[in-house]
mmCIF file with all atom_site columns, all heavy atoms in Angstrom:
data_model
loop_
_atom_site.group_PDB
_atom_site.id
_atom_site.type_symbol
_atom_site.label_atom_id
_atom_site.label_alt_id
_atom_site.label_comp_id
_atom_site.label_asym_id
_atom_site.label_entity_id
_atom_site.label_seq_id
_atom_site.pdbx_PDB_ins_code
_atom_site.Cartn_x
_atom_site.Cartn_y
_atom_site.Cartn_z
_atom_site.occupancy
_atom_site.B_iso_or_equiv
_atom_site.pdbx_formal_charge
_atom_site.auth_seq_id
_atom_site.auth_comp_id
_atom_site.auth_asym_id
_atom_site.auth_atom_id
_atom_site.pdbx_PDB_model_num
ATOM 1  N N   . MET A 1 1  ? -10.733 -2.012 -21.726 1.00 89.00 ? 1  MET A N   1
ATOM 2  C CA  . MET A 1 1  ? -9.494  -1.506 -21.070 1.00 89.00 ? 1  MET A CA  1
ATOM 3  C C   . MET A 1 1  ? -9.111  -0.249 -21.645 1.00 89.00 ? 1  MET A C   1
ATOM 4  O O   . MET A 1 1  ? -8.658  0.695  -20.915 1.00 89.00 ? 1  MET A O   1
ATOM 5  C CB  . MET A 1 1  ? -8.380  -2.589 -21.147 1.00 89.00 ? 1  MET A CB  1
ATOM 6  C CG  . MET A 1 1  ? -8.621  -3.862 -20.291 1.00 89.00 ? 1  MET A CG  1
ATOM 7  S SD  . MET A 1 1  ? -8.957  -3.592 -18.541 1.00 89.00 ? 1  MET A SD  1
ATOM 8  C CE  . MET A 1 1  ? -7.559  -2.749 -18.007 1.00 89.00 ? 1  MET A CE  1
ATOM 9  N N   . LEU A 1 2  ? -9.187  -0.073 -22.966 1.00 91.00 ? 2  LEU A N   1
ATOM 10 C CA  . LEU A 1 2  ? -8.686  1.112  -23.614 1.00 91.00 ? 2  LEU A CA  1
ATOM 11 C C   . LEU A 1 2  ? -9.614  2.372  -23.131 1.00 91.00 ? 2  LEU A C   1
ATOM 12 O O   . LEU A 1 2  ? -9.081  3.441  -22.956 1.00 91.00 ? 2  LEU A O   1
ATOM 13 C CB  . LEU A 1 2  ? -8.797  1.052  -25.094 1.00 91.00 ? 2  LEU A CB  1
ATOM 14 C CG  . LEU A 1 2  ? -7.776  -0.012 -25.701 1.00 91.00 ? 2  LEU A CG  1
ATOM 15 C CD1 . LEU A 1 2  ? -8.057  -0.118 -27.201 1.00 91.00 ? 2  LEU A CD1 1
ATOM 16 C CD2 . LEU A 1 2  ? -6.348  0.407  -25.368 1.00 91.00 ? 2  LEU A CD2 1
ATOM 17 N N   . ASP A 1 3  ? -10.947 2.031  -22.876 1.00 94.00 ? 3  ASP A N   1
ATOM 18 C CA  . ASP A 1 3  ? -11.767 3.177  -22.476 1.00 94.00 ? 3  ASP A CA  1
ATOM 19 C C   . ASP A 1 3  ? -11.391 3.555  -21.031 1.00 94.00 ? 3  ASP A C   1
ATOM 20 O O   . ASP A 1 3  ? -11.285 4.762  -20.675 1.00 94.00 ? 3  ASP A O   1
ATOM 21 C CB  . ASP A 1 3  ? -13.284 2.677  -22.432 1.00 94.00 ? 3  ASP A CB  1
ATOM 22 C CG  . ASP A 1 3  ? -14.248 3.696  -21.979 1.00 94.00 ? 3  ASP A CG  1
ATOM 23 O OD1 . ASP A 1 3  ? -14.263 4.818  -22.536 1.00 94.00 ? 3  ASP A OD1 1
ATOM 24 O OD2 . ASP A 1 3  ? -14.876 3.427  -20.939 1.00 94.00 ? 3  ASP A OD2 1
ATOM 25 N N   . LEU A 1 4  ? -11.030 2.592  -20.186 1.00 95.00 ? 4  LEU A N   1
ATOM 26 C CA  . LEU A 1 4  ? -10.667 2.982  -18.832 1.00 95.00 ? 4  LEU A CA  1
ATOM 27 C C   . LEU A 1 4  ? -9.284  3.683  -18.840 1.00 95.00 ? 4  LEU A C   1
ATOM 28 O O   . LEU A 1 4  ? -9.163  4.764  -18.137 1.00 95.00 ? 4  LEU A O   1
ATOM 29 C CB  . LEU A 1 4  ? -10.404 1.591  -17.963 1.00 95.00 ? 4  LEU A CB  1
ATOM 30 C CG  . LEU A 1 4  ? -9.826  1.810  -16.663 1.00 95.00 ? 4  LEU A CG  1
ATOM 31 C CD1 . LEU A 1 4  ? -10.831 2.581  -15.673 1.00 95.00 ? 4  LEU A CD1 1
ATOM 32 C CD2 . LEU A 1 4  ? -9.543  0.464  -15.978 1.00 95.00 ? 4  LEU A CD2 1
ATOM 33 N N   . ILE A 1 5  ? -8.441  3.347  -19.724 1.00 94.00 ? 5  ILE A N   1
ATOM 34 C CA  . ILE A 1 5  ? -7.219  4.043  -19.873 1.00 94.00 ? 5  ILE A CA  1
ATOM 35 C C   . ILE A 1 5  ? -7.404  5.475  -20.265 1.00 94.00 ? 5  ILE A C   1
ATOM 36 O O   . ILE A 1 5  ? -6.824  6.480  -19.589 1.00 94.00 ? 5  ILE A O   1
ATOM 37 C CB  . ILE A 1 5  ? -6.213  3.263  -20.792 1.00 94.00 ? 5  ILE A CB  1
ATOM 38 C CG1 . ILE A 1 5  ? -5.723  1.977  -20.157 1.00 94.00 ? 5  ILE A CG1 1
ATOM 39 C CG2 . ILE A 1 5  ? -4.974  4.188  -21.230 1.00 94.00 ? 5  ILE A CG2 1
ATOM 40 C CD1 . ILE A 1 5  ? -5.026  1.055  -21.175 1.00 94.00 ? 5  ILE A CD1 1
ATOM 41 N N   . SER A 1 6  ? -8.325  5.618  -21.078 1.00 95.00 ? 6  SER A N   1
ATOM 42 C CA  . SER A 1 6  ? -8.677  7.034  -21.594 1.00 95.00 ? 6  SER A CA  1
ATOM 43 C C   . SER A 1 6  ? -9.284  7.778  -20.484 1.00 95.00 ? 6  SER A C   1
ATOM 44 O O   . SER A 1 6  ? -8.996  8.958  -20.232 1.00 95.00 ? 6  SER A O   1
ATOM 45 C CB  . SER A 1 6  ? -9.449  6.910  -22.770 1.00 95.00 ? 6  SER A CB  1
ATOM 46 O OG  . SER A 1 6  ? -9.799  8.216  -23.270 1.00 95.00 ? 6  SER A OG  1
ATOM 47 N N   . ARG A 1 7  ? -10.192 7.220  -19.794 1.00 96.00 ? 7  ARG A N   1
ATOM 48 C CA  . ARG A 1 7  ? -10.966 7.836  -18.708 1.00 96.00 ? 7  ARG A CA  1
ATOM 49 C C   . ARG A 1 7  ? -9.986  8.185  -17.467 1.00 96.00 ? 7  ARG A C   1
ATOM 50 O O   . ARG A 1 7  ? -10.356 9.145  -16.713 1.00 96.00 ? 7  ARG A O   1
ATOM 51 C CB  . ARG A 1 7  ? -12.065 7.044  -18.163 1.00 96.00 ? 7  ARG A CB  1
ATOM 52 C CG  . ARG A 1 7  ? -13.298 7.017  -19.015 1.00 96.00 ? 7  ARG A CG  1
ATOM 53 C CD  . ARG A 1 7  ? -14.481 6.309  -18.527 1.00 96.00 ? 7  ARG A CD  1
ATOM 54 N NE  . ARG A 1 7  ? -14.322 4.810  -18.569 1.00 96.00 ? 7  ARG A NE  1
ATOM 55 C CZ  . ARG A 1 7  ? -14.327 3.954  -17.498 1.00 96.00 ? 7  ARG A CZ  1
ATOM 56 N NH1 . ARG A 1 7  ? -14.505 4.512  -16.298 1.00 96.00 ? 7  ARG A NH1 1
ATOM 57 N NH2 . ARG A 1 7  ? -14.114 2.699  -17.629 1.00 96.00 ? 7  ARG A NH2 1
ATOM 58 N N   . CYS A 1 8  ? -8.870  7.590  -17.450 1.00 96.00 ? 8  CYS A N   1
ATOM 59 C CA  . CYS A 1 8  ? -7.859  7.872  -16.318 1.00 96.00 ? 8  CYS A CA  1
ATOM 60 C C   . CYS A 1 8  ? -6.846  8.837  -16.854 1.00 96.00 ? 8  CYS A C   1
ATOM 61 O O   . CYS A 1 8  ? -5.783  8.977  -16.268 1.00 96.00 ? 8  CYS A O   1
ATOM 62 C CB  . CYS A 1 8  ? -7.245  6.454  -15.847 1.00 96.00 ? 8  CYS A CB  1
ATOM 63 S SG  . CYS A 1 8  ? -8.416  5.476  -14.972 1.00 96.00 ? 8  CYS A SG  1
ATOM 64 N N   . ASN A 1 9  ? -7.098  9.363  -18.069 1.00 96.00 ? 9  ASN A N   1
ATOM 65 C CA  . ASN A 1 9  ? -6.289  10.581 -18.522 1.00 96.00 ? 9  ASN A CA  1
ATOM 66 C C   . ASN A 1 9  ? -4.847  10.067 -19.058 1.00 96.00 ? 9  ASN A C   1
ATOM 67 O O   . ASN A 1 9  ? -3.939  10.872 -18.914 1.00 96.00 ? 9  ASN A O   1
ATOM 68 C CB  . ASN A 1 9  ? -6.177  11.675 -17.590 1.00 96.00 ? 9  ASN A CB  1
ATOM 69 C CG  . ASN A 1 9  ? -7.480  12.409 -17.258 1.00 96.00 ? 9  ASN A CG  1
ATOM 70 O OD1 . ASN A 1 9  ? -8.109  12.862 -18.161 1.00 96.00 ? 9  ASN A OD1 1
ATOM 71 N ND2 . ASN A 1 9  ? -7.871  12.319 -15.984 1.00 96.00 ? 9  ASN A ND2 1
ATOM 72 N N   . ILE A 1 10 ? -4.848  8.941  -19.456 1.00 95.00 ? 10 ILE A N   1
ATOM 73 C CA  . ILE A 1 10 ? -3.576  8.361  -19.953 1.00 95.00 ? 10 ILE A CA  1
ATOM 74 C C   . ILE A 1 10 ? -3.793  8.403  -21.599 1.00 95.00 ? 10 ILE A C   1
ATOM 75 O O   . ILE A 1 10 ? -4.764  7.952  -22.120 1.00 95.00 ? 10 ILE A O   1
ATOM 76 C CB  . ILE A 1 10 ? -3.388  6.936  -19.516 1.00 95.00 ? 10 ILE A CB  1
ATOM 77 C CG1 . ILE A 1 10 ? -3.109  6.942  -18.054 1.00 95.00 ? 10 ILE A CG1 1
ATOM 78 C CG2 . ILE A 1 10 ? -2.165  6.295  -20.362 1.00 95.00 ? 10 ILE A CG2 1
ATOM 79 C CD1 . ILE A 1 10 ? -2.878  5.595  -17.485 1.00 95.00 ? 10 ILE A CD1 1
ATOM 80 N N   . ARG A 1 11 ? -2.742  8.918  -22.252 1.00 95.00 ? 11 ARG A N   1
ATOM 81 C CA  . ARG A 1 11 ? -2.791  8.966  -23.680 1.00 95.00 ? 11 ARG A CA  1
ATOM 82 C C   . ARG A 1 11 ? -1.460  8.349  -24.270 1.00 95.00 ? 11 ARG A C   1
ATOM 83 O O   . ARG A 1 11 ? -0.382  8.203  -23.481 1.00 95.00 ? 11 ARG A O   1
ATOM 84 C CB  . ARG A 1 11 ? -2.794  10.447 -24.152 1.00 95.00 ? 11 ARG A CB  1
ATOM 85 C CG  . ARG A 1 11 ? -3.921  11.245 -23.607 1.00 95.00 ? 11 ARG A CG  1
ATOM 86 C CD  . ARG A 1 11 ? -5.216  10.936 -24.218 1.00 95.00 ? 11 ARG A CD  1
ATOM 87 N NE  . ARG A 1 11 ? -6.244  11.750 -23.718 1.00 95.00 ? 11 ARG A NE  1
ATOM 88 C CZ  . ARG A 1 11 ? -7.032  11.441 -22.583 1.00 95.00 ? 11 ARG A CZ  1
ATOM 89 N NH1 . ARG A 1 11 ? -6.734  10.402 -21.846 1.00 95.00 ? 11 ARG A NH1 1
ATOM 90 N NH2 . ARG A 1 11 ? -7.969  12.368 -22.201 1.00 95.00 ? 11 ARG A NH2 1
#
Side-chain angles (χ1 to χ4, degrees):
M1 292 307 302
L2 294 177
D3 180 59
L4 174 65
I5 290 169
S6 180
R7 286 186 283 123
C8 291
N9 296 301
I10 293 174
R11 308 286 183 271

